[in-house]
Amino acid sequence: MEIKQEDIRKVESYRWVVWTILALMYIFVTFHRMATGVVKSDLEETFKIGAAQFANIGSMYFYAYFLMQIPSGILADKIGPKKTVTWFSILAAVGSVVFGLAPNLTVAYIGRFLVGIGVSVVFICLIKIQSRWFYSKNFALMIGFVGLAANAGALLAQTPLVYAASAFGWRSTFVYLGAAMVFFAVLTMIFVKDDPTDIGLPGMDELEGRPAVKVDLKVGEALKSVLSNPRTWTVSVVNIGMYVGYIVLLGQFGVPYLMTGYGLEKVQAANLIISAVIGSAVGAMAIGYVSDKIMKRKIVLVLLSAITLAAWIVFIYFKLPVGMLPAFLFMHGFVMTNFTMTWTIANEVNDRRLAGIATGVVNCVGFAGAATIPVYMGKILDANLANPLIGYQKAYFVLIVVVAISLVASFFATETNAKNVYESK
């Protein structure tokens, strides 16, 4: 039966409604992820804590996110993004309010953990939506668009957050965020559809002339398929160094390091980190576009991983002129965003029905690193309070070693030529 052109146009139009709502929700995800770095001094003053305990506040989010990545993939593949994002976003909203009203450090930990659980599902559900609403040939580019949304959240968590915390207080800011998340959860419930077929339109399987994907997958078999695939683990190791570096620079110790190493004020340091955020946003788009255009994944991954390692070494051990930092940090943010390529490769080396689980496994490994490495760095900083700059150099050395390991792993990644190669494994 021939597909009506009108139905194709409807799919290509409504998919942006679905995608945009989840992308806007993803802005909250990355905002919460990065926010603690900018309000570090406020949190330390409020709860009377040091660098290690501060890092634990950030890590509570990542512990929760780590624990939920594979379950998130199962939920996305099993019950669909619509229900998953709606209910978990409400939980995240509750967590944000709890964090904002926390009377002590323990309650603050609980609030951050609830936020991490709640927002943990959004990214994977967004990737799942893209696999069901967008053409396969545009997969890496669409992940680039996700990166754009992510960096919008990271951008808001820099200088704008400094001003918001100054105007309303850090507590009220997080309470207001919780209210806003409830609003977007309602939009998700009303307008998001898991698949074009849910509203009587042809699905991507039909539009691309491939066998229809069945939703009622068996969880045990699906997990075994992804977890037993060595190609999944290779890109997961690459993800650790690249993604943890992104988190450390944009969300944990980037602003404090610039304040210590360069004697900058908080707003000046946050503005410089915005250069990295913008670089990351541009990188997410450009990397996906170029990779799709040349139909290569591995060469992009290896090249950008090598440049990322070199950039970290320069940033930490060579004091650059302040006037060079905006351009340097833009470039640094650009190249380290090659972690987006690990999600693309993970989807192309696994059964295409398991987009949620494949993405979840890679994220699970990456977020395990994001939960533990900054805390270890914080302990090094606490042990070097007499000489903070030396402390930062020692702490960042740990990260540089992890990035080097990820670079080595990138040489063993699979070249998919921008196609799903699962059947050829």
Side-chain angles (χ1 to χ4, degrees), residues 68-77 84 117 120-122 124-125 356:
M68 280 298 298
Q69 285 311 282
I70 293 177
S72 294
I74 294 171
L75 289 167
D77 290 337
T84 304
I117 292 285
S120 66
V121 303
V122 178
I124 290 175
C125 287

Side-chain angles (χ1 to χ4, degrees), residues 272 275-280 282-283 325-335:
L272 284 172
S275 297
V277 175
I278 295 172
S280 182
V282 175
L325 285 176
F328 177 83
L329 288 170
F330 176 90
M331 179 276 296
H332 196 15
F334 184 104
V335 296

Side-chain angles (χ1 to χ4, degrees), residues 32 34-51 53-58 99-100 102 104-105 108-109 112 161 165 169-171 174 251-252 266:
H32 278 293
M34 305 299 182
T36 56
V38 170
V39 294
K40 179 176 182 287
S41 58
D42 298 301
L43 295 174
E44 288 179 335
E45 182 180 348
T46 299
F47 298 114
K48 311 301 179 188
I49 57 176
Q53 288 174 305
F54 159 74
N56 271 325
I57 292 178
F99 179 65
N104 54 54
L105 186 60
Y109 284 159
R112 285 288 290 175
L161 177 57
W170 73 267
R171 290 184 178 279
F174 282 93
Q252 293 272 20
K266 182 186 289 187

Side-chain angles (χ1 to χ4, degrees), residues 334-349:
F334 184 104
V335 296
M336 73 168 62
T337 308
N338 72 325
F339 61 78
T340 58
M341 196 57 56
T342 65
W343 301 323
T344 300
I345 295 174
N347 276 269
E348 291 176 345
V349 298

Side-chain angles (χ1 to χ4, degrees), residues 102-357:
N104 54 54
L105 186 60
T106 300
V107 177
Y109 284 159
I110 293 171
R112 285 288 290 175
F113 192 82
L114 289 176
V115 169
I117 292 285
V119 301
S120 66
V121 303
V122 178
F123 172 76
I124 290 175
C125 287
L126 189 46
I127 298 300
K128 181 69 176 183
I129 283 291
Q130 290 180 180
S131 74
R132 305 313 303 151
W133 277 91
F134 291 84
Y135 298 108
S136 300
K137 63 183 180 181
N138 301 130
F139 196 87
L141 177 61
M142 289 308 302
I143 284 186
F145 277 116
V146 175
L148 190 64
N151 284 289
L155 184 66
L156 290 171
Q158 302 301 326
T159 307
L161 177 57
V162 173
Y163 288 125
S166 177
F168 307 112
W170 73 267
R171 290 184 178 279
S172 295
T173 299
F174 282 93
V175 171
Y176 297 152
L177 278 170
M181 291 189 76
V182 172
F183 172 75
F184 281 96
V186 173
L187 290 183
T188 301
M189 181 173 59
I190 296 172
F191 295 107
V192 169
K193 308 298 177 185
D194 293 334
D195 194 277
T197 57
D198 291 347
I199 51 176
L201 296 172
M204 280 296 121
D205 297 323
E206 185 178 357
L207 293 179
E208 295 191 319
R210 64 194 184 205
V213 172
K214 294 182 179 180
V215 176
D216 58 340
L217 55 87
K218 295 181 179 179
V219 172
E221 292 179 5
L223 280 173
K224 182 180 179 181
S225 174
V226 175
L227 293 175
S228 64
N229 187 346
R231 299 175 175 186
T232 305
W233 293 103
T234 301
V235 291
S236 296
V237 174
V238 180
N239 184 274
I240 294 177
M242 301 303 118
Y243 190 70
V244 172
Y246 172 86
I247 292 300
V248 166
L249 180 65
L250 274 59
Q252 293 272 20
F253 298 120
V255 169
Y257 171 69
L258 287 171
M259 293 171 67
T260 299
Y262 288 86
L264 302 176
E265 296 296 325
K266 182 186 289 187
V267 172
Q268 290 176 297
N271 282 335
L272 284 172
I273 294 299
I274 284 177
S275 297
V277 175
I278 295 172
S280 182
V282 175
M285 297 292 296
I287 292 167
Y289 175 79
V290 171
S291 178
D292 280 345
K293 197 74 173 176
I294 66 175
M295 299 185 71
K296 297 292 181 184
R297 307 301 193 205
K298 182 175 179 177
I299 185 62
V300 175
L301 189 68
V302 171
L303 178 62
L304 295 182
S305 296
I307 298 173
T308 298
L309 176 60
W312 272 118
I313 293 171
V314 170
F315 183 53
I316 301 304
Y317 297 109
F318 298 86
K319 188 170 182 178
L320 299 170
V322 174
M324 287 183 59
L325 285 176
F328 177 83
L329 288 170
F330 176 90
M331 179 276 296
H332 196 15
F334 184 104
V335 296
M336 73 168 62
T337 308
N338 72 325
F339 61 78
T340 58
M341 196 57 56
T342 65
W343 301 323
T344 300
I345 295 174
N347 276 269
E348 291 176 345
V349 298
N350 282 289
D351 188 329
R352 60 187 175 80
R353 295 175 301 170
L354 310 180
I357 295 174

